[in-house]
Amino acid sequence: MNQYQAIIIGFGKAGKTLAAALAQKGWQVAIIEQSNTMYGGTCINIGCIPTKTLVHDAELQHDFAAAMQRKASVVSFLRDKNFHNLADLDNVDVIEGRAEFIDNHTVRVIQPTGTLEVRGEKIFINTGAQSIIPDIAGLSGTPGVFDSTGLLNLTQRPQRLGILGGGYIGLEFASMFANFGSQVTIFEAAPLFLPREDRDIAEAIAQILRDQGVELILNANVQSVSSHDGMVQLQTPEGLRTVDALLVASGRKPATEHLQLKNAGVDVNERGGIIVNKYLRTSADNIWAMGDVTGGLQFTYVSLDDFRIVRDSLFGEGLRNSGDRQNVPYSVFMTPPLSRVGMSEEQARASGAMVQVVTLPVAAIPRARVMDDTRGVLKAVIDVNTQRILGVSLLCADSHEMINIVKTVMDAGLPYTVLRDQIFTHPTMSESLNDLFSLIKS
């Protein structure tokens, strides 16, 4: 049996970064990945990199087949680079196969040719998340039904695309395929569109989608799914809807089902997420869990921060923890993208703070005129008493870059006047922060 100082299960952002850091310290490391198409993790292979590559090409109205080929090339390059970054190190073994625990120090790796057992002093779980498939008759196994991974491997653009789920993943794909020329219909079971967003922001997003030709159906009760003449049929109380392809975008859950965690004494919650403390330790003293597998925020940059917490536990002062995180931003890469940090207006008012809310239409921004994209709105929520920014929503081009500026000011505890009076280059989208925060009445 091969012995290692560290076993890392999963080649995602936290796992691969930790493996490299441990190797630099001279540790003997094994990193286990069940698929050779997933070296580098979800983001590189089936998440943010391929989707954002396609979003970029869709915005430029590139040919769908050509865009898919370029996406595959980008992913292949990064996957190969990530593999060799670890596999070429003398003290790192990359092992392909599905891992399951025998006990809290021993892992069985199931491979096509048999099984392999490895033993580690410390073990780090970074297996990510997997798609949730709703309990709808015929949904599983029907030709033409895809999760996000499957849809990213299409070579021909569906003329009509149905999307089951109106969350952020569904929005990105809806906007992308609409820009490629598909007729897109979103079937959202809930009565409220984007419940985490303020109603004015949600309605602005809905209008942008409608202007792109996307049909948005709320309270959609899809009773069954079937295949007929190469098409996908959705049975609803209102009748039969037919599409060429159906994307199941009903969220993702921690990928823990096959790990046999009980054998290692690792506890999970009701959704299968591994329970960790603020230092990312599990109920087994020598085992940590990082990234999406804990059931927290499913962002690559949070997974990277998980690595920093574990590294500090191993080699630092052991003070860094998940409770240190403030104002984690997110971006939804529809066109134009939505980015938000901090509280929504609804959350801020519910907190009891005395708030002031200001909005700025994107049409008022010179750079937006230059780029010929005046869709969207900027919104800020301010604490009147402290002058601090409680939250910002940006629905505009380049919002995914702008939101990081806002986060930095919020984390530093600085007043909104820093952005109101900041000197920005011109013409840029960032300088619109001057105008947005100038609307606040002192």
Side-chain angles (χ1 to χ4, degrees):
M1 182 185 300
N2 293 332
Q3 301 273 349
Y4 296 93
Q5 289 169 277
I7 295 173
I8 299 170
I9 306 174
F11 213 120
K13 184 67 174 180
K16 67 185 182 184
T17 312
L18 179 62
L22 295 178
Q24 289 179 351
K25 295 287 186 180
W27 288 35
Q28 293 296 319
V29 180
I31 184 164
I32 304 169
E33 173 53 56
Q34 67 176 355
S35 172
N36 60 15
T37 65
M38 288 297 291
Y39 293 132
T42 295
C43 179
I44 284 176
N45 294 286
I46 59 173
C48 40
I49 294 299
T51 55
K52 279 53 174 181
T53 302
L54 290 173
V55 166
H56 174 269
D57 285 3
E59 290 172 354
L60 298 177
Q61 298 181 333
H62 281 189
D63 174 78
F64 181 77
M68 282 294 185
Q69 288 180 350
R70 194 178 83 84
K71 177 269 300 180
S73 176
V74 171
V75 169
S76 177
F77 171 81
L78 292 174
R79 179 191 299 146
D80 186 67
K81 179 181 178 181
N82 273 263
F83 172 77
H84 285 287
N85 281 346
L86 293 181
D88 292 349
L89 298 176
D90 291 338
N91 52 336
V92 176
D93 290 337
V94 178
I95 303 172
E96 183 182 341
R98 181 170 63 81
E100 62 180 30
F101 282 94
I102 297 175
D103 57 44
N104 67 318
H105 285 284
T106 313
V107 175
R108 178 185 296 113
V109 184
I110 301 171
Q111 302 173 312
T113 57
T115 61
L116 172 70
E117 290 186 9
V118 292
R119 186 171 177 82
E121 296 175 21
K122 294 178 173 60
I123 299 178
F124 306 88
I125 305 171
N126 185 221
T127 49
Q130 62 191 45
S131 297
I132 297 172
I133 307 300
D135 186 18
I136 297 175
L139 192 61
S140 298
T142 296
V145 177
F146 305 94
D147 62 7
S148 58
T149 303
L151 203 68
L152 286 171
N153 290 323
L154 292 182
T155 55
Q156 292 186 338
R157 176 183 61 82
Q159 182 177 345
R160 295 169 299 175
L161 174 66
I163 298 178
L164 202 60
Y168 299 129
I169 294 175
L171 294 194
E172 288 191 0
F173 277 93
S175 181
M176 176 205 309
F177 274 83
N179 282 338
F180 275 127
S182 296
Q183 299 172 19
V184 180
T185 302
I186 297 175
F187 300 90
E188 170 55 53
L192 197 64
F193 179 57
L194 294 179
R196 287 178 57 187
E197 308 300 331
D198 288 326
R199 290 305 86 206
D200 53 347
I201 297 296
E203 180 51 39
I205 294 169
Q207 188 58 54
I208 287 172
L209 291 171
R210 293 188 194 104
D211 291 344
Q212 290 178 310
V214 176
E215 181 183 9
L216 177 59
I217 302 176
L218 300 178
N219 289 305
N221 179 16
V222 177
Q223 299 167 320
S224 64
V225 175
S226 60
S227 177
H228 181 71
D229 289 341
M231 295 178 290
V232 181
Q233 293 184 328
L234 295 83
Q235 184 66 55
T236 73
E238 293 75 28
L240 202 61
R241 298 292 297 261
T242 302
V243 295
D244 299 301
L246 178 66
L247 167 65
V248 181
S250 302
R252 295 172 67 80
K253 62 181 180 179
T256 58
E257 292 177 358
H258 303 294
L259 287 173
Q260 302 297 331
L261 293 171
K262 288 184 178 180
N263 294 340
V266 174
D267 296 333
V268 298
N269 61 27
E270 66 280 357
R271 297 188 68 249
I274 296 177
I275 298 171
V276 295
N277 64 16
K278 62 183 180 179
Y279 303 103
L280 305 181
R281 283 184 180 267
T282 71
S283 49
D285 288 342
N286 67 308
I287 300 177
W288 288 254
M290 309 174 294
D292 298 354
V293 77
T294 65
L297 296 172
Q298 296 182 8
F299 300 132
T300 296
Y301 42 93
V302 171
S303 189
L304 176 61
D305 195 56
D306 283 355
F307 150 73
R308 296 176 182 135
I309 292 170
V310 171
R311 179 183 59 184
D312 185 56
S313 295
L314 296 174
F315 306 116
E317 297 181 359
L319 300 177
R320 189 172 189 137
N321 62 76
S322 58
D324 296 333
R325 292 177 186 146
Q326 304 179 65
N327 308 310
V328 178
Y330 63 85
S331 292
V332 182
F333 285 83
M334 54 179 291
T335 304
L338 164 70
S339 300
R340 183 154 75 83
V341 64
M343 298 180 184
S344 65
E345 177 185 350
E346 183 179 348
Q347 290 169 330
R349 294 193 185 282
S351 73
M354 183 178 295
V355 303
Q356 185 177 159
V357 179
V358 291
T359 60
L360 178 74
V362 174
I365 303 171
R367 178 62 181 174
R369 293 286 176 181
V370 170
M371 294 189 295
D372 194 26
D373 189 353
T374 57
R375 296 170 295 174
V377 63
L378 281 59
K379 181 175 183 177
V381 184
I382 306 299
D383 187 315
V384 173
N385 293 325
T386 65
Q387 293 196 328
R388 290 189 178 182
I389 303 168
L390 297 178
V392 168
S393 298
L394 306 175
L395 177 61
C396 64
D398 293 340
S399 70
H400 52 289
E401 299 287 356
M402 299 164 62
I403 204 69
N404 295 314
I405 301 172
V406 178
K407 171 184 166 52
T408 300
V409 171
M410 292 175 67
D411 285 353
L414 299 172
Y416 75 90
T417 52
V418 170
L419 291 175
R420 183 195 66 187
D421 302 333
Q422 186 60 268
I423 298 175
F424 292 102
T425 54
H426 172 79
T428 61
M429 293 300 290
S430 295
E431 69 175 334
S432 64
L433 297 173
N434 287 158
D435 298 327
L436 175 63
F437 289 101
S438 291
L439 296 173
I440 296 170
K441 298 177 182 179
S442 301

